[in-house]
């Protein structure tokens, strides 16, 4: 286990460094002089110089990179150009909203996907299976920037059950969580179905069947238990889709999380905030994937040995 | 059998994209007296917030999504396959470095990197293509690398190396054809992803600029009038959903037909 | 069996990480005001955007205010002109108190203005106050302004909110924690989108909530999540809300002046014929009727006709596409050889909508127009830097006619003023200087009216319209009066007539 842990940690560190370099490069992709783009051409020369200094843009590129990495190590994310506040404070303020939305969406996804996946696997190649998988396919084909407005149209405008947007209480969480969760549920139900189908054919399931257990008991007690493991891993990977989807979902619903922060910062040309937020989202994604890997290894010792490239 | 309906839809999309070149359309013709007029006998889908015909704009949007999707997938496929094949073929530290670079790109979840790139480079459809390709090549590189690793030990490849064939020739003539089936399947799903991604960036205001039309920007503009004219947002959304669903079904069929093992695709 | 049951416990632990989040319900006695954009700076020394200025009027008091006809009137202080370069202000009300309980004295006024005048602080308001040479405070309630040059309109410039000197000295963060002497006091700002104030006269709590999306703002009003809002709503939504019995709507004329600006140094937009063709190509009346829902009035000058220096006899350019075409033809342009213009606008959806209409109408007479929309900061930066051919903007809250010098005098090219189109006309400069030098108001007025007629001829701007103000509130909200410049002063009298049963 220790060896596995160390090797995964080393890989993760390399990836983290790479991500930091790529995020650092973002500001150099700004067409023209980033300082002028951010402050406007009419800004005072002194202000421009101060910002150039603060961003370290007056040094050679390799020094800038080292400087950037050194500041990251000290948890210094810089200052927002728009609000002139420390970016770390802004991030910390926004993170709870995104976590709240993410957890709620995971709930929605799990509650939709589990029954759908199980039903589809139990009644393979029947109308039920086609129906469930058809739903899953439609689910992945509806972009969340359309799903969101449609839910608003029906749930908020026509029925008036939910608030249109914002983050005010439990009811305001429902529509964004549904938007984000349905897309995940679509993918997840397909995964659960194929994971179940794979274990169903295995020896111990056949034994259980032979013992005369009902199909439901076979699936619930033996199939699901073993199918859950790969699903958990995939759930970790799905966090990527969740975080990516959160950017658009938060924009649609004005949900004050870090996804909305990225979009706002782009519109305001507040590039330090864009950099910091992108970095934060990616690093948390890397971290969750790492944890999922380790968790998987903890639950299923065979992974440690099997682990290939 | 089951491929005809999706294929028909995809062809409809393609012909809509090309139709604009033949049929006179007025997607940018403003008629202030027709603002937000709903659909009817004269104009099926009604008019938008500037009195422009929505059907015409839908067709222009089809063109935008069609060309962006094919440009992005074409670029990503070529670049990704070349890089992935090269890495796997060379092996050693080249391959090792490639794997790390792929890992780094995959550490940016979903559409995040494309949004950041498009946002930093500034709005515009050319930057959308660049941003999506910069993110898209990774999938093809990873897939082609994995595939090449499984076939590069085959006899005829060894034979080609033995008779002194140039590496580039081996890669293009022998390796890539062997691994093309899963890549084609991946690319067909990639088209669906690119359609959604382009519309998503345009929805965020990072894609086409007015008065040009994209399905994403039509949804963006439509959401402001949902209360008084929901047809503005429903129409382009149905178009996206139909096209993406069709491509996904077509991709499923293609995968079965080419007998490619299900790869774990990520959202 | 493959796994012992304990693995299920591990899975259960993971599942337990899913937690239901807590929620917070709004309290019913607060009056909620919906805003399209949040106030970015609550420090009047630095705030420049319209929302901040309107909120700051509630938080702070100023020396001078304006009548409906934009005549300066005493607010905190009465004034007399002792000599043309010496103004004496006397604080009217000894009881004026800051929110922290300390009294407002002449020293606070001096500290506030001294701070702005210090070039080190680079306050955006310094340029409009540069004529101040020094400030003296002979007593608790007297402030003497000594000017470097005479300026009869001087009192009209003293509209900056007064800050407590004690806190200024400490470097208090006014931008986030404002302390003034205005009718409203700062209560808190839980996040960027919400600002809580309390009305000092009756301790009525207020909350300003930023809801950028107009549809959402309208729905929140219907749902009772906000009680009132003003402007920034497309006319379709206003019409929709007007039909609802829960809502009442107040409309009032406004002074915010919308215009098309040109770069006069550009080889194309520098030509008068091209600008005249633009003016004749735009169908302002159709836009007002069909797009703005009738909630605007045609404008021919920066100052509205009922301003003391305004002119109601100005004859504007009518919508005449034929004439526009023939003007272009005379200048040697044609369908094959069109005038190719780039039009810049901010990324605000309504601005883009207007820009797209202008683009279309200009195309009809033979222009080729490229639209470029940028986020506000970039757009505004480009405009100030003169990097444009044509753009559209509004002047908000114009009260004093020194705006003409600020916008059209040849020495006001940025960063010295707002002559963004680089309009350089000796005749305009002369009229502006004559108007400024004139002692009597009637003479000033005459010069300014001549100037406005000349500007309409020379056409550095194509005047569009004055935007109306519309106040939309739930039925039970009473007592609001609309201001000409769209400020929120009406909130001082606003109240809820009956407590609604449910929120």
């Amino acid at each position: 286990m220790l060896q596995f842990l160390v090797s995964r940690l080393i890989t993760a560190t390399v990836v983290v460094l790479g991500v930091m370099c790529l995020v650092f490069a973002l500001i150099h992709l700004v067409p023209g002089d980033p300082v002028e783009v951010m402050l406007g051409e009419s800004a005072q020369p002194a202000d421009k110089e101060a910002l150039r200094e603060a961003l370290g843009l007056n040094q050679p590129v390799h020094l800038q990179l080292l400087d950037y990495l050194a500041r990251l190590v000290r948890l210094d994310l810089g200052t927002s150009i728009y609000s002139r506040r420390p970016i770390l404070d802004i991030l910390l303020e926004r993170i709870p909203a995104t976590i709240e939305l993410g957890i709620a969406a995971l709930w929605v996804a799990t509650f939709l996907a589990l029954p759908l996946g199980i039903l589809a696997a139990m009644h393979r190649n029947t109308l039920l299976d086609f129906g469930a998988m058809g739903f899953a396919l439609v689910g992945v084909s509806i972009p969340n920037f359309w799903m969101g407005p449609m839910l608003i149209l029906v749930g908020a405008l026509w029925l008036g059950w939910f608030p249109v947007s914002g983050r005010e209480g439990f009811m305001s969480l429902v529509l964004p969580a549904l938007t984000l969760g349905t897309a995940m549920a679509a993918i997840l139900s397909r995964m659960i179905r194929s994971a179940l189908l794979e274990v169903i054919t295995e020896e111990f399931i056949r034994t259980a069947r032979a013992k005369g257990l009902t199909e439901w008991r076979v699936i619930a007690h033996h199939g699901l238990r073993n199918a859950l493991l790969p699903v958990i891993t995939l759930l970790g990977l799905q966090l990527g889709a969740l975080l990516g989807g959160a950017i658009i979902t938060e924009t649609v619903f004005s949900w004050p999380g870090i996804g909305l922060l990225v979009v706002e910062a782009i519109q305001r040309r507040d590039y330090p905030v864009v950099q910091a937020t992108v970095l934060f989202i990616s690093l948390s994604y890397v971290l969750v994937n790492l944890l999922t890997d380790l968790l998987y290894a903890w639950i299923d010792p065979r992974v440690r040995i099997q682990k290939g490239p | 059998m089951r491929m005809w309906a999706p294929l028909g839809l995809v062809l409809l999309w393609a012909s809509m994209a090309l139709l604009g070149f033949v049929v006179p359309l007025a997607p940018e013709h403003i008629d202030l007296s027709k603002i937000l007029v709903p659909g009817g006998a004269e104009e099926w889908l009604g008019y938008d917030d500037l009195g422009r015909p929505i059907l015409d704009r839908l067709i222009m949007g089809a063109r935008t999504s069609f060309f962006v999707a094919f440009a992005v997938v074409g670029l990503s496929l070529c670049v990704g396959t070349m890089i992935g094949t090269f890495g796997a073929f060379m092996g050693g530290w080249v391959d090792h470095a490639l794997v790390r670079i792929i890992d780094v790109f995959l550490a940016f979840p979903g559409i995040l990197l494309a949004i950041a790139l498009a946002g930093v480079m500034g709005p515009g459809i050319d930057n959308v293509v660049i941003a999506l390709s910069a993110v898209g090549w990774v999938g093809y590189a990873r897939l082609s690398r994995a595939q090449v690793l499984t076939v590069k030990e085959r006899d005829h490849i060894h034979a080609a190396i033995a008779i002194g064939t140039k590496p580039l020739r081996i890669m293009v003539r022998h390796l890539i054809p062997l691994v093309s089936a899963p890549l084609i399947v991946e690319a067909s799903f990639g088209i669906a992803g690119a359609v959604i991604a382009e519309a998503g960036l345009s929805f965020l205001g990072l894609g086409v600029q007015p008065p040009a039309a994209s399905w994403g920007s039509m949804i963006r503009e439509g959401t402001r009038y949902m209360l008084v004219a929901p047809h503005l947002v429903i129409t382009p959304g149905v178009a996206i959903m139909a096209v993406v669903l069709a491509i996904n079904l077509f991709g499923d069929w293609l995968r079965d037909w080419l007998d490619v093992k299900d790869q774990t695709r990520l959202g | 069996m493959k796994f012992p049951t304990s693995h299920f416990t591990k899975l259960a632990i993971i599942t337990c990480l899913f937690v239901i989040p807590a929620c917070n319900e709004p309290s019913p006695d607060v009056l909620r005001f919906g805003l399209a954009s949040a106030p970015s700076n609550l420090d009047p020394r630095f705030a420049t955007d319209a929302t901040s200025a309107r909120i700051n009027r509630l938080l702070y008091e100023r020396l001078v205010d304006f009548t409906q006809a934009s005549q300066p009137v005493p607010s905190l202080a009465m004034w007399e002109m002792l000599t043309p370069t010496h103004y004496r202000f006397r604080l009217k009300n000894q009881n004026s108190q800051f929110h922290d309980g300390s009294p407002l004295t002449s020293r606070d006024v001096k500290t506030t203005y001294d701070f702005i005048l210090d070039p080190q602080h680079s306050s955006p308001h310094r340029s409009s106050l540069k004529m101040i040479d020094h400030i003296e405070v002979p007593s608790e309630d007297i402030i003497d302004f000594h000017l470097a040059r005479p300026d009869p309109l001087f009192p009209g410039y003293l509209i900056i909110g007064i800050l407590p000197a004690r806190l200024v000295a400490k470097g208090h963060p006014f931008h986030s924690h404002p302390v003034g002497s205005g009718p409203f006091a700062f209560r808190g700002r839980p996040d960027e989108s919400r600002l809580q104030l309390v009305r000092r006269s009756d301790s009525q709590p207020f909350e300003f909530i930023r809801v950028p999306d107009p549809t959402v703002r309208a729905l929140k009003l219907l749902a009772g999540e906000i009680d009132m809002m003003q402007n920034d709503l497309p006319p379709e939504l206003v019409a929709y809300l007007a039909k609802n019995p829960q809502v009442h709507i107040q409309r009032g004329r406004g002074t915010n002046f919308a215009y098309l600006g040109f770069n006069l140094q550009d080889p194309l937009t520098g030509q008068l014929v091209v600008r005249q063709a633009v003016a004749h190509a735009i169908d302002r009346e159709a836009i007002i009727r069909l797009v703005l829902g009738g909630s605007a009035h045609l404008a021919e000058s920066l100052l509205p006709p009922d301003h003391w220096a305004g002119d109601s006899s100005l004859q504007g350019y009518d919508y005449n596409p034929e004439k526009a075409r023939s003007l272009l033809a005379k200048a040697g342009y044609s369908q094959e050889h069109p005038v190719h213009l780039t039009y810049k606008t901010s990324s605000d959806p309504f601005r883009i909508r207007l820009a797209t209409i202008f683009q279309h109408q200009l195309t009809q007479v033979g222009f080729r127009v490229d639209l470029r929309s940028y986020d506000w900061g970039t757009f505004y930066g480009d405009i100030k830097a003169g990097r444009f051919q044509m753009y559209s903007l509004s002047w908000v809250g114009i009260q004093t006619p020194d705006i003409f010098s600020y916008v059209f005098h040849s020495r006001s090219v940025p960063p010295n003023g707002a002559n963004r189109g680089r309009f350089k006309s000796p005749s305009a400069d002369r009229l502006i200087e004559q108007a400024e030098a004139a002692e009597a108001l009637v003479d000033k007025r005459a010069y300014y009216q001549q100037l406005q007629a000349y500007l309409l001829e020379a056409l550095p701007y194509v005047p569009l319209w004055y935007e109306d103000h519309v106040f939309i509130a739930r039925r039970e909200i009473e007592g609001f009066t609309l201001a000409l410049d769209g400020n929120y002063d009406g909130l001082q009298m606003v109240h809820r007539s009956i407590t609604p049963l449910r929120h």
Side-chain angles (χ1 to χ4, degrees):
Chain A
M1 182 72 193
L2 190 69
Q3 201 190 345
F4 174 70
L5 188 84
V6 170
S7 88
R8 282 300 282 116
L9 278 180
I10 291 173
T11 323
T13 315
V14 174
V15 169
V16 166
L17 266 175
V19 167
M20 287 175 174
C21 294
L22 207 58
V23 168
F24 162 79
L26 274 182
I27 197 142
H28 294 275
L29 291 173
V30 176
D33 179 357
V35 170
E36 255 182 27
V37 173
M38 282 185 275
L39 291 183
E41 290 86 357
S42 61
Q44 302 285 334
D47 291 348
K48 286 195 208 173
E49 211 33 59
L51 181 61
R52 214 179 293 278
E53 182 80 25
L55 297 176
L57 289 173
N58 43 10
Q59 294 169 5
V61 175
H62 63 279
L63 282 185
Q64 286 183 35
L65 177 60
L66 285 179
D67 191 48
Y68 182 71
L69 295 178
R71 273 185 289 148
L72 286 183
V73 170
R74 294 197 304 270
L75 276 183
D76 174 9
L77 296 176
T79 313
S80 158
I81 291 165
Y82 174 79
S83 66
R84 292 172 196 272
R85 294 174 54 208
I87 296 174
L88 189 64
D89 291 4
I90 302 178
L91 269 182
L92 289 176
E93 208 172 272
R94 298 292 194 110
I95 287 167
T98 298
I99 292 182
E100 187 178 300
L101 176 59
I103 289 171
L106 273 177
W107 269 111
V108 171
T110 316
F111 274 91
L112 279 176
L114 261 182
L116 275 178
I118 294 173
L119 278 178
M122 277 172 69
H123 305 275
R124 192 180 180 188
N125 290 338
T126 65
L127 224 59
L128 214 63
D129 184 18
F130 291 135
M133 288 307 105
F135 162 82
L137 200 61
V138 173
V140 284
S141 303
I142 300 183
N144 45 15
F145 53 87
W146 191 56
M147 177 93 179
M150 284 298 110
L151 286 176
I152 292 179
L153 188 64
V154 177
L157 303 198
W158 290 350
L159 299 174
W161 292 350
F162 305 101
V164 182
S165 74
R167 181 177 176 231
E168 288 140 21
F170 179 73
M171 290 308 263
S172 67
L173 181 60
V174 175
L175 295 185
L178 272 176
T179 306
L180 198 49
T182 329
M184 271 185 77
I187 302 170
L188 205 60
S189 59
R190 286 178 94 161
M191 290 174 178
I192 291 174
R193 174 179 176 272
S194 53
L196 267 177
L197 286 180
E198 221 154 89
V199 291
I200 275 174
T201 55
E202 288 186 37
E203 196 75 20
F204 68 96
I205 296 279
R206 265 184 278 159
T207 315
R209 282 216 183 101
K211 280 197 295 191
L213 293 179
T214 60
E215 189 65 17
W216 176 246
R217 281 184 67 90
V218 173
I219 294 279
H221 272 239
H222 301 283
L224 206 54
R225 182 179 299 181
N226 291 296
L228 264 181
L229 269 174
V231 169
I232 289 265
T233 327
L234 294 172
L235 209 62
L237 286 171
Q238 273 307 301
L239 188 86
L242 186 80
L243 286 170
I247 300 174
I248 285 173
T249 309
E250 287 183 4
T251 312
V252 171
F253 290 95
S254 307
W255 186 261
I258 45 179
L260 185 60
L261 182 64
V262 180
V263 175
E264 286 173 347
I266 285 176
Q267 282 162 357
R268 292 168 182 161
R269 310 254 145 155
D270 199 347
Y271 296 129
V273 174
V274 177
Q275 281 181 302
T277 318
V278 169
L279 186 70
F280 173 81
I281 296 177
S282 308
L283 292 191
S284 42
Y285 180 43
V286 171
L287 184 73
V288 169
N289 272 334
L290 180 68
L291 288 180
T292 323
D293 270 12
L294 298 180
L295 198 70
Y296 198 112
W298 177 47
I299 297 175
D300 183 355
R302 291 173 309 165
V303 179
R304 289 170 231 163
I305 309 152
Q306 281 178 357
K307 173 78 169 78
Chain B
M1 252 306 272
R2 59 179 247 236
M3 63 166 286
W4 290 115
L7 189 67
L9 256 171
V10 173
L11 286 178
L12 179 68
W13 177 46
S15 52
M16 269 172 87
L18 301 172
L19 192 67
F21 294 112
V22 198
V23 182
L25 293 171
E28 286 159 24
H29 184 85
I30 290 173
D31 185 344
L32 297 182
S33 63
K34 287 182 177 155
I35 285 178
L36 300 185
V37 169
E42 180 207 353
E43 169 68 42
W44 301 346
L45 299 176
Y47 295 86
D48 74 356
D49 59 327
L50 288 168
R52 298 174 296 196
I54 290 178
L55 180 64
D56 294 25
R57 293 188 69 70
L58 205 64
I59 292 172
M60 291 309 288
R63 183 194 289 184
T64 308
S65 70
F66 186 84
F67 286 108
V68 169
F70 277 90
V72 167
V73 171
L75 255 170
S76 317
L77 184 64
C78 290
V79 175
T81 309
M82 290 309 288
I83 294 178
T85 311
F86 180 73
F89 180 69
M90 298 298 284
W93 69 267
V94 176
D95 187 40
H96 200 72
L98 175 70
V99 173
R100 290 292 155 259
I101 291 173
I102 289 178
D103 278 351
V104 168
F105 272 84
L106 288 176
F108 292 91
I111 199 176
L112 174 72
L113 188 59
I115 290 176
L117 284 173
V120 166
M121 291 188 296
I125 206 69
D126 40 351
N127 283 346
V128 166
V129 173
I130 296 173
L132 291 179
S133 307
V135 178
W137 70 272
V138 186
Y140 303 101
R142 191 173 61 153
L143 184 59
S144 58
R145 176 184 169 274
Q147 294 291 320
V148 168
L149 282 180
T150 64
V151 298
K152 82 173 204 187
E153 299 303 327
R154 290 197 188 166
D155 286 343
H156 74 282
I157 307 287
H158 282 299
I161 297 173
I163 60 170
T165 317
K166 288 211 179 81
L168 186 68
R169 198 178 156 77
I170 297 179
M171 276 163 56
V172 174
R173 295 296 293 272
H174 299 289
L175 286 176
I176 293 182
L178 270 180
V179 304
S180 60
L183 283 172
I184 289 171
V185 172
E186 181 79 3
S188 71
F189 291 117
I191 297 273
V195 168
I196 290 192
E198 180 274 318
L201 290 177
S202 289
F203 175 80
L204 294 176
L206 300 171
V208 295
Q209 295 299 293
S214 146
W215 291 343
S217 66
M218 287 172 78
I219 294 182
R220 170 192 171 86
E221 286 156 21
T223 50
R224 307 185 61 235
Y225 303 96
M226 262 197 308
L227 211 50
V228 282
H231 64 283
L232 258 59
V233 62
I234 293 177
T235 322
V238 170
I240 296 180
M241 190 182 82
V243 166
V244 172
L245 190 62
I247 302 172
N248 276 334
L249 283 169
F250 182 74
D252 277 347
W253 169 82
L254 199 65
R255 183 179 54 208
D256 295 349
W257 189 64
L258 292 172
D259 198 20
V260 175
K261 198 170 179 289
D262 197 354
Q263 303 285 328
T264 314
R265 281 185 296 115
L266 304 176
Chain C
M1 197 131 320
K2 277 183 172 180
F3 301 115
T5 334
S6 74
H7 291 129
F8 232 66
T9 334
K10 290 178 185 173
L11 291 177
I13 298 171
I14 304 158
T15 321
C16 283
L17 295 172
F18 296 56
V19 193
I20 286 276
C23 55
N24 44 338
E25 282 298 320
S27 58
D29 60 322
V30 181
L31 286 174
R32 294 180 185 78
F33 192 99
L35 292 174
S37 59
S40 64
N41 199 323
L42 298 174
D43 186 337
R45 296 169 299 177
F46 294 103
T48 50
D49 65 291
T51 312
S52 301
R54 286 167 182 164
I55 301 279
N56 285 341
R57 280 183 66 85
L58 303 175
L59 290 167
Y60 302 89
E61 290 179 293
R62 60 235 131 248
L63 294 180
V64 175
D65 228 327
F66 292 97
T67 63
Q68 294 279 59
S70 295
Q71 305 270 20
V73 286
S75 177
L76 266 178
M78 314 282 292
W79 72 84
E80 49 185 331
M81 188 177 84
L82 300 179
T83 74
T85 57
H86 183 188
Y87 284 81
R88 169 160 290 181
F89 281 76
R90 192 185 299 271
L91 293 177
K92 284 198 304 186
N93 184 352
Q94 302 274 1
N95 301 328
S96 215
Q97 259 188 4
F98 287 112
H99 305 146
D100 63 358
S102 59
L104 189 154
T105 69
S106 56
R107 233 167 35 80
D108 300 306
V109 177
K110 177 174 161 58
T111 309
T112 303
Y113 279 98
D114 278 346
F115 185 97
I116 292 167
L117 290 170
D118 185 344
Q120 270 199 328
H121 297 128
S122 55
S123 157
H125 303 300
R126 192 172 82 91
S127 61
S128 67
L129 297 166
K130 264 197 263 185
M131 76 292 286
I132 299 178
D133 185 66
H134 64 282
I135 303 166
E136 283 169 4
V137 279
S139 80
E140 280 279 279
D141 58 346
I142 292 178
I143 311 109
D144 282 343
F145 287 90
H146 296 276
L147 309 188
R149 57 178 165 84
D151 190 333
L153 298 176
F154 174 71
Y157 307 145
L158 300 179
I159 48 169
I160 308 268
I162 303 301
L163 288 73
R166 187 177 60 85
L167 293 178
V168 172
K170 278 199 225 161
H172 181 82
F174 287 97
H175 64 93
S176 57
H177 292 81
V179 179
S181 59
F184 287 74
F186 178 73
R187 180 60 84 69
R189 194 161 192 184
D191 55 66
E192 203 199 328
S193 64
R194 285 185 301 153
L195 170 70
Q196 294 163 343
L197 304 184
V198 60
R199 187 161 62 197
R200 291 167 88 191
S201 57
D202 57 356
S203 305
Q204 165 70 47
F206 278 77
E207 190 165 42
F208 294 84
I209 304 170
R210 182 188 61 139
V211 187
D213 188 278
T215 305
V216 178
R217 225 176 313 127
L219 284 165
K220 283 192 183 287
L221 185 87
L222 291 180
E225 290 170 49
I226 56 177
D227 300 300
M228 57 199 129
M229 56 189 170
Q230 185 183 303
N231 297 348
D232 300 313
L233 219 54
E236 290 83 4
L237 275 179
V238 177
Y240 175 84
L241 288 172
K243 280 186 290 187
N244 193 302
Q246 283 184 300
V247 174
H248 76 101
I249 289 179
Q250 261 172 274
R251 291 173 196 272
R253 292 186 73 141
T255 55
N256 295 348
F257 167 74
Y259 65 92
L260 283 176
F262 299 100
N263 189 340
L264 280 296
Q265 304 215 303
D266 184 272
L268 284 174
T269 48
Q271 302 174 39
L272 181 61
V273 244
V274 171
R275 301 198 298 275
Q276 284 173 334
V278 170
H280 282 300
I282 304 275
D283 190 354
R284 297 186 291 169
E285 282 176 41
I287 296 176
I288 291 177
R289 189 161 37 90
L290 297 166
V291 184
L292 302 175
S295 62
H297 291 84
L298 281 184
E300 310 300 351
S301 165
L302 222 159
L303 296 181
D306 41 7
H307 189 281
W308 66 264
D311 187 349
S312 52
S313 66
L314 292 171
Q315 282 298 314
Y317 294 75
D318 57 331
Y319 170 57
N320 191 342
E322 268 317 308
K323 192 162 178 192
R325 252 176 241 124
S326 70
L327 280 170
L328 287 182
K330 245 188 273 171
Y333 298 102
S334 62
Q335 214 63 281
E336 294 76 42
H337 177 55
V339 188
H340 199 133
L341 295 179
T342 304
Y343 179 111
K344 288 195 176 179
T345 174
S346 76
S347 54
D348 172 73
F350 191 69
R351 295 281 151 209
I352 294 180
R353 194 178 174 196
L354 281 180
T356 317
I357 295 171
F358 293 146
Q359 180 189 40
H360 178 72
Q361 293 185 343
L362 290 172
T363 312
Q364 297 299 305
V365 303
F367 284 99
R368 285 256 315 272
V369 184
D370 282 341
L371 274 192
R372 299 264 184 278
S373 82
Y374 300 92
D375 66 287
W376 171 253
T378 316
F379 166 67
Y380 198 48
D382 280 1
I383 298 308
K384 284 194 286 194
R387 297 205 319 191
F388 61 90
Q389 272 185 310
M390 195 177 153
Y391 69 99
S392 170
L393 260 179
S394 299
W395 279 110
V396 178
I398 297 308
Q399 303 278 13
T400 48
D402 63 319
I403 184 75
F404 287 114
S405 160
Y406 185 60
V407 175
F408 294 119
H409 197 284
S410 57
R411 66 171 136 76
S412 294
V413 169
N416 298 318
N419 187 349
R420 293 153 187 164
R422 276 73 182 159
F423 175 62
K424 285 175 184 159
S425 153
S427 323
D429 287 0
R430 201 183 57 247
L431 283 168
I432 291 169
E433 282 155 20
Q434 284 172 327
E436 282 179 345
E439 297 274 321
L441 276 187
V442 270
D443 295 340
K444 274 183 183 296
R445 181 176 164 176
Y447 284 122
Y448 278 126
Q449 289 183 339
Q450 274 185 51
L451 174 68
Q452 290 170 70
Y454 174 74
L455 287 174
L456 202 53
E457 231 171 79
L459 217 60
Y461 279 7
V462 171
L464 294 174
W465 48 71
Y466 305 110
E467 292 152 7
D468 283 358
H469 298 301
V470 50
F471 176 77
I472 304 154
R474 294 184 61 79
R475 180 140 295 281
E476 64 269 19
I477 299 296
E478 293 175 349
F480 190 87
T481 35
L482 276 166
L484 271 178
D485 65 352
N487 67 40
Y488 299 152
D489 290 7
L491 292 179
Q492 291 180 53
M493 302 304 290
V494 138
H495 59 94
R496 204 192 300 270
S497 61
I498 42 152
T499 315
L501 294 174
R502 197 197 70 84
H503 243 284

